[in-house]
Amino acid sequence: MRMAKTLQQRLDQANCDYDIIPHPHSATSLESARTAGVPAERVAKSVMLDDRHGNFIMAVLPANRHLDMTEVRMTGAWQLTRESNLPSLFGDCERGAIPALGDAYNIPMLLDRSLTRQGDVYLEAGDHDHLIHMSMEQYLKLVPHAEVRELS
């Protein structure tokens, strides 16, 4: 698989300019950055959260940062989602390779301010072997409803 179908449709729908960056198989966003030879602060890592009542939110931050749950909980009673719950939300993605594009999956997003300061961004493509590369300006147009705040 090169790219999740939902992601591909969203990028095509928005007439996005992007590149597909192949890289050796990786297990994490930080490892994807390393194997692809791109700066980790430009790789968008998705962390899924839920409120124990069936509502989900996607926190997006640079691959080299850790999510500050204190900051996240200021928006509600969120907890890390069990990986076993994710296939139903991201059926076209490999486990652990969720694209940082919650809008494409109708999932609200929190976006770390530090990521938005980058000139460009890399997203998981839905598998463990490809990244999507685009300008930050293009990415922000794809996630117009994301709440930008300090998360890490």
Side-chain angles (χ1 to χ4, degrees), residues 36-52:
V38 300
E41 63 271 12
R42 293 182 183 172
V43 175
K45 168 174 70 174
S46 301
V47 179
M48 290 302 300
L49 307 162
D50 68 74
D51 67 356
R52 296 184 183 104

Side-chain angles (χ1 to χ4, degrees), residues 16-71:
C16 283
D17 291 325
Y18 62 90
D19 300 307
I20 300 174
I21 311 296
H23 60 81
H25 189 84
S26 61
T28 66
S29 295
L30 189 56
E31 189 179 343
S32 295
R34 186 183 56 75
T35 62
V38 300
E41 63 271 12
R42 293 182 183 172
V43 175
K45 168 174 70 174
S46 301
V47 179
M48 290 302 300
L49 307 162
D50 68 74
D51 67 356
R52 296 184 183 104
H53 300 289
N55 298 304
F56 295 90
I57 194 165
M58 177 185 285
V60 177
L61 58 154
N64 63 343
R65 299 237 180 156
H66 295 283
L67 185 63
D68 182 344
M69 288 301 292
T70 304
E71 291 294 330

Side-chain angles (χ1 to χ4, degrees), residues 47-50 57-61 66-80 110-112 147 149-152:
V47 179
M48 290 302 300
L49 307 162
D50 68 74
I57 194 165
M58 177 185 285
V60 177
L61 58 154
H66 295 283
L67 185 63
D68 182 344
M69 288 301 292
T70 304
E71 291 294 330
V72 171
R73 287 191 178 117
M74 291 174 74
T75 64
W78 300 105
Q79 66 177 6
L80 293 174
L110 299 174
L111 181 58
D112 190 73
E147 180 182 338
R149 57 183 301 155
E150 302 298 326
L151 297 175
S152 60

Side-chain angles (χ1 to χ4, degrees), residues 102-151:
D103 282 22
Y105 293 88
N106 296 313
I107 296 173
M109 289 176 59
L110 299 174
L111 181 58
D112 190 73
R113 190 175 314 284
S114 66
L115 187 64
T116 65
R117 295 183 187 118
Q118 302 299 322
D120 57 350
V121 65
Y122 297 83
L123 319 173
E124 296 286 354
D127 68 10
H128 294 281
D129 304 296
H130 298 90
L131 290 172
I132 303 300
H133 174 237
M134 67 180 65
S135 72
M136 181 55 67
E137 179 182 359
Q138 188 83 73
Y139 177 69
L140 292 174
K141 287 179 183 175
L142 287 170
V143 294
H145 306 293
E147 180 182 338
V148 178
R149 57 183 301 155
E150 302 298 326
L151 297 175

